[in-house]
Amino acid sequence: MVRLLGRSGTRSPRRPGSRREPHGHDGVPRTDGARPRRTAAAPAARRQGPGRTRREPAAGLRARLGGRSLAGQVFVLNVVIVLLLVVAAVVALLLQVRNDTTQEARNRSLAVAETFANAPGTRAALSTPDPTALLQPSAEAARVAAGVDFIVVTDTKGIRYTHPKPDRIGKKFVGTIGPALAGGTVVEEVNGTIGRLVQAVVPVKAPDGKVVGLVSAGITTAHVGGAADRQLPLVLAAAATGLALATGGTALVSRRLLRQTHGLGPREMTRMYEHHDAVLHSVREGVLIVGGEGDLLLANDEAHRLLDLPADAERRHVLDLGLDADTAELLSSGRVATDEVHLVGDRLLAINQRPTDLEGGPPGSVATLRDSTELRALLGRAEAARERLDLLYAAGVGIGTSLDVTGTAKELAELAVPRFADFVTVDLFDAVLSGEDPEPGGALRRTAVSGVRADTPLFPQGHQLRFVDSSPHGVSLRTGRAVSEPSLAGAAGWQAQDLERSALVVEYGIHSLITVPVRAGGRVLGVVTFWRAERPEPFDEEELALAEELVTRAAVAIDNARRYTREHGLAVTLQRSLLPRTLPAQNALDIAYRYLPAQAGVGGDWFDVLPLSGARVALVVGDVVGHGLHAAATMGRLRTAVHNFSSLDLAPDELLTLLDELVGRIDQDEAGDGGAAPVTGATCLYAVYDPVARRCTVARAGHPPPAVIRPDGSVVFAEVPAGPPLGLGGLPFEAVELDMAEGSRLVLYTDGLVEDRERDIDSGLELLRGALAGAGTSPEDTCRAVLDALLPARQADDIALLVARTRALGPGRVAEREVPMEPSAVKEVRAFVTRQLAEWGLEELEFTTELILSELVTNAIRYGSAPVRVRLLRDRSLICEVFDGSNTSPHLRYAALSDEGGRGLFLVAQLTERWGTRYTQHGKIIWAEQPLP
C-alpha cells in the first residue's frame, strides 16, 4: 500500500491511464521537507497482521544469507573456518587412533603369545605323539578369553598344531618364524584373509634353551580400539554447534543492519514505489484511503471512475464529495464492511472496508470498490444452473428408493413440484404396473399426480387413458421424443384429447406443458407431463432439456422397479405353488400355521405336514439362504426330497443325512454355473410324532430349536442338538425323543420370526417365550399371539410358523398281541383279529384283515426272527402292523405259474389301501392300511 504522505507531486489530470509525476532528483520520493515515510514491503507487512509479519523474516533471512550481502559473506567465511577446523580435527583423530590401535594390537598379541608359550603343559604337549589333541582345546579357550582372533601352535618347521579353523591344522604357518626359531620374538603387521592384523610369534623353549615349538597370536586392528567411535561424535557435535553459532551471529548482524537501513537502498526504494503506484492505478478495483478525520487521503483511478469523483477529491472530506448519503456515511464512519452493495448512479458497487489502525498503524480506513452490476446478472444465471444441478442430484438420490413402480412414479412427481413445475402427472402402461413389458397402443394409467394445489382439473390418479395421436402425449409415445407446448389455449392437438376437460384446464390457469416419454432401452414405459400455471412464462429450451434429463434418470428406477415386480411376482407364484395348499387329514395333531413372505424379496422358507405309517405324523420346517427365484426353486427341490425320503419311514437323523447329501450334490451340479449361489447354509428341522407312544422324535440341521408348551402353560425350548446346516457334509445329526403329554403344543418356526436387524436371536427367543406363555390354548390362538408380539414393522425375511397340539391314540383304539414263533400261532392271530374287530364294530373287515395278517404273520414266522408282535390301530383307517426282529424286507413280485409262493404280498397290496415296511432299532414293522367302512 502507498501512503498519501510521501507522494511526489500531484496526480495528472489525464484519466484514465495517467501516471505519477517523476520522483525527486536523488531517486527518493520527496516528503515535503519531512523524513521519507516507509513504503517498503517489510514495514507495511508489520502493520498487516502477525501472519505476514512472520513470513517476511524467513524470506528475508534466505535472501540475506545468499552470499551477495555483507551478512552472507560473513556467514560463508564462518562456515569455511568451522569446516577447516573440523577436517583438521578429524584427520588428527584418525591418525592418533590408527597409531594407538596398532600399538595396542602389538602389545596384546605379544602378551597372549608369550603367556600361552610359557603356560604349564604347552612344552610337554609338544613332545606327545598327538600335540593337537592336547593343545587345540586350551588354545581355543585362551583365544576366547584373551579376545584375540587366533592362537596357533606350530612345530619348528611351521606346521600348525592348532588353529580356530580345524581344517587348517597340519598346514604351513603363514608368517615370519626365523627370529623365533633363533630364540627371539617376531611382531609384524600383515594383510590376512580376515583383514589387516598384527601377529606375534614367540618360541617355546626346553629347559636347556632349545626351541621345541612356536606360538603365534594375532588380532585384527578392527577389533582393537574404538576411541574414534567415541570421540568422532564429539567432534561433529562441536562442528554443528560452531555452525549454529555462526548462523545465529550472522542473523543477529543482518537484523541489526535491516533495522538501520530498512532493508532497502535508494534504488530499491524508488523502484518499489513506482511499482506500487503503477499497480494501484491499473487494477480493476477502486481503492480509497480515508484518514481518521474523514479526509480522503488517496483514491486510485478506478475509484475516481466508479464514484465519479472530482479531480481535487483528495484532501477533502468524504461528505463533501457529492456521494450518495449511504455511501458517504459508510466511508466516513470507518466501520467494517464486507461486500456491502450500494447503488451509485447506475452501478451496483460491492464495498469492503477495514480500519488501518490495527497493529499500531495510523488512524483511518481503507475501502475497496468492485462493480458487481454484470456479476449480478452472471450470478443469476449461475444460480439457475445450480438449482437445476441440485434438482438432478436430488433426483439421483430421492428417486428409486423403493422397488415399487407406483412409489417411484410418486417420488418423481413430488420431487419436481414446485421446484420445476407447478403440476406433474406420470402415466404408465398397465402392463408396466404389473411388471410386464409395455404393449404399444395399450392403455395407460395415471400412476402419480402432484401439484401446488389439490383442486386441479387434471385426470386423477388411477384414471385409465388413451392419448390421441395429435396430442403432445401421443407424439411423445409414438416418436420417443420430448414435446413442449408453450400455449395450451391455442394447441388444437392437445385440445382434441378432451375438449371439455381441456377448457377446464386452461380456465384453471395452466398455460403450458412439457411431455417426456419414459424410455428404458428401446421400450417406452409411459409419459411424464410437466404443467405450468403459477409462473406466466412458458417452458424454454433449457427447461425442456432439464425435463428430459430428469425423466431419463427416473426411467432407470421405474424400469428397475418393473423388473423387480415381475421377478418378485414370479418368485411368489413359484413359492406358493411349492408350499402346501391344504394340510393332510390326520388325527394325531391339531395344526395351525402361518406363512408370511418377505416384503423386500421372496425367500426359501417352507414347512410341511406328512402323515406316516402307524398313525404317526411328520412335521418339517426349513429355510434356504437367499431370496428370489433361485431360493424358491431350491426350496421346492428340498421339499420334494423330504416327501420322497419320508415315504421310506426313516428316522429324523437318517432323513437329514440323506437331505444333506442331496444338497451337496446340488451344489456340485451348480458349481460350474456362475449365476447360481450354493445352497450350503440351508436349515431344516424334522420331527415325527407318535400318538400311541405320545413321543416326538426331533432332529435339526442348523435350525432354531422347537418350543414346547406343556398342558400347564409352561414354555420350554427343547434341547435338540443343532447339527450343521445342510450341505456342509461329514458331520452326523443326532435325534432326541421328547415325551409329549396329550394337549401339549409343539411350535416350529424359521429364524425370520425371532431375528432381524433390530434384535438378535437370543432376544427374539425370549420374546417368543413370553408370547407363547400368554397365548390361548388352541393352535390358531397361539399363531395369532406370536405374530402380534414378534412380527416386525418391515419384514425383511420370510416367516414360517407351525403350531401342533398333540392328541393321543388311547388304549381303546389300540390292540396288541405277542405271537409265538410257531405256524400254529396264525390261527390264534385270526381269532384275535375277529374278536377285536367285533369289539370295534368292524365286522365287514374281518375277512380281509384275517387274510392280510395271516400272510404277514406267516412271513414273519417263516423268514423273520423273534420276537413277533401284531398290533391293530383304529384311526382314520384300520392299520395292521406285524413286528419281528429281522431286518430283511419282503418285496412284491409276480409269481410264475409253477411257483409255490410269492403271491402273499401281491394279495396284501390288492386288499389294502397302502402297505410298506418301517425299520426300527430292533427290527422291522410291515404295515398295511384299510379304509374304514
Side-chain angles (χ1 to χ4, degrees):
M1 181 59 66
V2 180
R3 298 194 180 191
L4 180 61
L5 297 179
R7 290 190 298 153
S8 60
T10 59
R11 185 186 307 278
S12 172
R14 296 175 297 168
R15 303 183 185 279
S18 62
R19 292 180 57 90
R20 294 283 185 174
E21 294 297 329
H23 297 282
H25 67 279
D26 55 356
V28 181
R30 296 196 303 269
T31 59
D32 297 332
R35 181 179 177 181
R37 301 289 296 272
R38 293 194 299 267
T39 60
R46 186 177 297 126
R47 300 187 304 273
Q48 294 172 2
R52 296 187 60 181
T53 304
R54 292 190 184 96
R55 290 195 294 269
E56 188 279 334
L61 180 60
R62 289 193 297 269
R64 294 193 294 275
L65 298 182
R68 291 177 291 180
S69 64
L70 178 61
Q73 295 172 1
V74 173
F75 175 70
V76 171
L77 179 61
N78 290 338
V79 171
V80 171
I81 293 174
V82 171
L83 292 179
L84 288 176
L85 292 176
V86 171
V87 170
V90 171
V91 171
L93 176 61
L94 293 177
L95 292 176
Q96 181 64 33
V97 168
R98 182 174 181 181
N99 180 67
D100 293 345
T101 300
T102 303
Q103 187 62 36
E104 173 66 18
R106 293 172 69 88
N107 294 338
R108 188 185 301 182
S109 60
L110 180 59
V112 172
E114 288 179 346
T115 301
F116 193 81
N118 296 322
T122 302
R123 183 175 68 252
L126 290 173
S127 61
T128 62
D130 188 4
T132 300
L134 297 175
L135 295 175
Q136 176 69 7
S138 58
E140 284 301 296
R143 177 184 66 82
V144 174
V148 296
D149 292 315
F150 65 84
I151 296 178
V152 176
V153 180
T154 69
D155 60 5
T156 55
K157 295 180 180 181
I159 302 304
R160 300 187 182 97
Y161 287 145
T162 66
H163 196 277
K165 297 181 180 179
D167 59 340
R168 297 188 181 181
I169 297 175
K171 297 182 179 180
K172 184 73 174 181
F173 174 74
V174 180
T176 304
I177 63 175
L181 293 174
T185 60
V186 179
V187 180
E188 60 182 343
E189 298 181 23
V190 296
N191 291 321
T193 58
I194 60 176
R196 182 171 180 79
L197 56 85
V198 176
Q199 65 182 10
V201 183
V202 300
V204 180
K205 296 179 181 180
D208 58 358
K210 181 181 178 180
V211 177
V212 295
L214 302 175
V215 176
S216 175
I219 185 172
T220 57
T221 57
H223 293 167
V224 181
D229 296 338
R230 296 188 299 270
Q231 297 176 8
L232 187 59
L234 296 177
V235 175
L236 296 179
T241 303
L243 288 175
L245 292 175
T247 304
T250 304
L252 291 175
V253 172
S254 176
R255 190 170 183 178
R256 182 65 179 272
L257 291 175
L258 178 64
R259 286 200 299 267
Q260 296 294 330
T261 63
H262 303 299
L264 296 173
R267 294 182 179 179
E268 288 78 4
M269 293 179 64
T270 301
R271 184 170 60 253
M272 182 171 293
Y273 183 85
E274 291 175 348
H275 288 169
H276 276 239
D277 195 58
V279 171
L280 179 66
H281 294 285
S282 61
V283 295
R284 291 295 306 275
E285 191 172 82
V287 179
L288 297 173
I289 299 179
V290 181
E293 301 297 329
D295 296 333
L296 180 63
L297 302 181
L298 182 143
N300 68 346
D301 294 339
E302 185 67 8
H304 275 268
R305 185 184 70 84
L306 295 177
L307 297 177
D308 195 18
L309 296 176
D312 59 346
E314 297 177 1
R315 301 284 183 177
R316 295 174 57 183
H317 201 280
V318 293
L319 297 178
D320 300 333
L321 298 178
L323 302 176
D324 64 282
D326 292 339
T327 306
E329 187 277 331
L330 172 62
L331 297 177
S332 62
S333 65
R335 60 181 174 85
V336 175
T338 301
D339 287 336
E340 194 171 302
V341 179
H342 289 257
L343 179 61
V344 179
D346 57 351
R347 297 187 179 93
L348 287 175
L349 301 183
I351 302 177
N352 290 273
Q353 185 168 265
R354 296 291 184 274
T356 58
D357 55 357
L358 301 176
E359 298 290 334
S365 62
V366 57
T368 60
L369 300 88
R370 184 175 66 255
D371 190 353
S372 61
T373 305
E374 297 179 358
L375 181 61
R376 281 303 176 98
L378 293 175
L379 287 177
R381 291 193 293 271
E383 180 65 19
R386 187 196 65 79
E387 290 180 356
R388 293 172 182 174
L389 290 176
D390 184 61
L391 179 63
L392 293 177
Y393 173 78
V397 175
I399 298 178
T401 58
S402 64
L403 293 174
D404 179 70
V405 176
T406 301
T408 304
K410 289 181 178 179
E411 290 173 347
L412 169 62
E414 292 173 356
L415 178 73
V417 175
R419 302 172 65 177
F420 178 68
D422 299 319
F423 300 94
V424 175
T425 57
V426 181
D427 305 315
L428 301 177
F429 286 102
D430 281 335
V432 174
L433 298 177
S434 59
E436 302 298 329
D437 291 335
E439 300 178 359
L444 290 90
R445 190 168 300 276
R446 181 136 297 176
T447 310
V449 178
S450 180
V452 295
R453 296 191 300 271
D455 56 345
T456 171
L458 299 173
F459 286 113
Q461 181 176 340
H463 186 79
Q464 192 176 49
L465 299 168
R466 286 185 181 272
F467 294 106
V468 298
D469 293 339
S470 62
S471 66
H473 305 81
V475 174
S476 293
L477 292 173
R478 186 177 65 256
T479 63
R481 294 183 292 103
V483 176
S484 176
E485 186 60 64
S487 177
L488 297 180
W494 171 74
Q495 294 177 359
Q497 179 70 37
D498 189 329
L499 293 176
E500 182 179 353
R501 187 169 294 270
S502 299
L504 293 176
V505 170
V506 174
E507 183 181 354
Y508 185 77
I510 299 177
H511 55 78
S512 61
L513 63 80
I514 292 177
T515 60
V516 183
V518 182
R519 293 182 300 175
R523 294 183 292 271
V524 177
L525 308 181
V527 63
V528 179
T529 309
F530 301 92
W531 311 80
R532 177 162 288 179
E534 299 294 324
R535 284 175 285 183
E537 67 275 4
F539 292 103
D540 56 23
E541 292 297 325
E542 292 183 357
E543 291 172 325
L544 178 64
L546 176 61
E548 288 183 298
E549 179 66 22
L550 186 62
V551 175
T552 299
R553 299 193 179 192
V556 176
I558 293 175
D559 189 52
N560 289 339
R562 178 189 67 85
R563 294 172 182 270
Y564 173 79
T565 300
R566 180 178 60 186
E567 181 179 346
H568 183 74
L570 291 175
V572 170
T573 302
L574 175 61
Q575 185 183 47
R576 294 194 180 278
S577 67
L578 295 175
L579 290 172
R581 302 289 181 86
T582 58
L583 296 181
Q586 46 82 31
N587 291 333
L589 298 169
D590 290 330
I591 296 176
Y593 68 92
R594 295 289 188 274
Y595 186 84
L596 303 176
Q599 296 180 3
V602 175
D605 292 15
W606 54 283
F607 69 95
D608 228 326
V609 178
L610 306 173
L612 303 178
S613 63
R616 297 171 306 130
V617 178
L619 303 176
V620 191
V621 174
D623 186 3
V624 177
V625 295
H627 293 83
L629 287 173
H630 182 262
T634 303
M635 176 268 289
R637 298 169 73 175
L638 296 183
R639 179 170 178 259
T640 302
V642 172
H643 270 262
N644 293 332
F645 293 151
S646 66
S647 65
L648 302 177
D649 267 329
L650 298 174
D653 53 339
E654 296 177 1
L655 185 142
L656 291 182
T657 300
L658 294 178
L659 197 62
D660 179 67
E661 295 176 357
L662 174 64
V663 171
R665 288 195 297 271
I666 293 175
D667 285 344
Q668 292 177 2
D669 294 341
E670 297 182 351
D673 186 3
V679 186
T680 303
T683 64
C684 182
L685 186 147
Y686 188 84
V688 176
Y689 174 66
D690 187 348
V692 178
R694 300 176 189 177
R695 185 175 294 114
C696 184
T697 306
V698 185
R700 62 188 179 116
H703 203 80
V708 177
I709 309 175
R710 299 191 179 102
D712 60 1
S714 60
V715 180
V716 294
F717 288 99
E719 296 183 358
V720 182
L726 299 176
L728 295 183
L731 297 175
F733 299 96
E734 184 177 354
V736 298
E737 291 186 349
L738 306 176
D739 291 328
M740 304 288 291
E742 186 174 6
S744 300
R745 282 168 286 169
L746 184 66
V747 181
L748 309 182
Y749 52 91
T750 57
D751 59 355
L753 180 67
V754 295
E755 185 179 17
D756 59 20
R757 295 179 179 178
E758 298 180 357
R759 62 171 181 256
D760 57 17
I761 190 169
D762 292 333
S763 301
L765 291 177
E766 288 303 317
L767 290 175
L768 177 60
R769 184 195 301 272
L772 294 176
T777 58
S778 70
E780 281 292 337
D781 293 340
T782 305
C783 289
R784 190 179 305 109
V786 168
L787 292 183
D788 290 344
L790 279 81
L791 187 64
R794 178 171 179 80
Q795 184 183 336
D797 195 6
D798 291 357
I799 294 177
L801 175 63
L802 190 63
V803 180
R805 184 173 58 186
T806 61
R807 295 177 180 173
L809 202 60
R813 303 175 67 182
V814 178
E816 190 171 4
R817 179 183 180 87
E818 296 287 338
V819 180
M821 293 292 292
E822 299 175 358
S824 61
V826 177
K827 181 179 180 180
E828 299 177 0
V829 171
R830 291 174 180 168
F832 162 73
V833 170
T834 301
R835 290 192 303 271
Q836 189 61 49
L837 292 183
E839 182 181 344
W840 286 343
L842 300 176
E843 291 85 353
E844 297 180 16
L845 301 178
E846 286 183 8
F847 176 76
T848 57
T849 305
E850 288 179 0
L851 185 60
I852 292 170
L853 284 179
S854 297
E855 180 61 33
L856 296 180
V857 171
T858 301
N859 285 342
I861 295 174
R862 179 178 298 180
Y863 304 109
S865 60
V868 176
R869 187 169 58 253
V870 174
R871 187 170 72 168
L872 296 177
L873 303 176
R874 182 183 179 183
D875 192 38
R876 301 180 68 87
S877 61
L878 179 62
I879 303 171
C880 304
E881 295 181 344
V882 177
F883 170 84
D884 70 87
S886 169
N887 287 324
T888 59
S889 175
H891 297 284
L892 181 67
R893 66 183 179 87
Y894 286 96
L897 295 176
S898 60
D899 291 342
E900 295 183 359
R903 297 176 179 83
L905 287 180
F906 181 78
L907 291 175
V908 171
Q910 294 297 316
L911 296 174
T912 61
E913 189 176 57
R914 292 193 309 158
W915 77 278
T917 303
R918 179 169 79 248
Y919 292 96
T920 66
Q921 295 180 354
H922 308 290
K924 70 176 181 295
I925 297 175
I926 302 178
W927 56 271
E929 293 184 4
Q930 302 176 74
L932 297 177

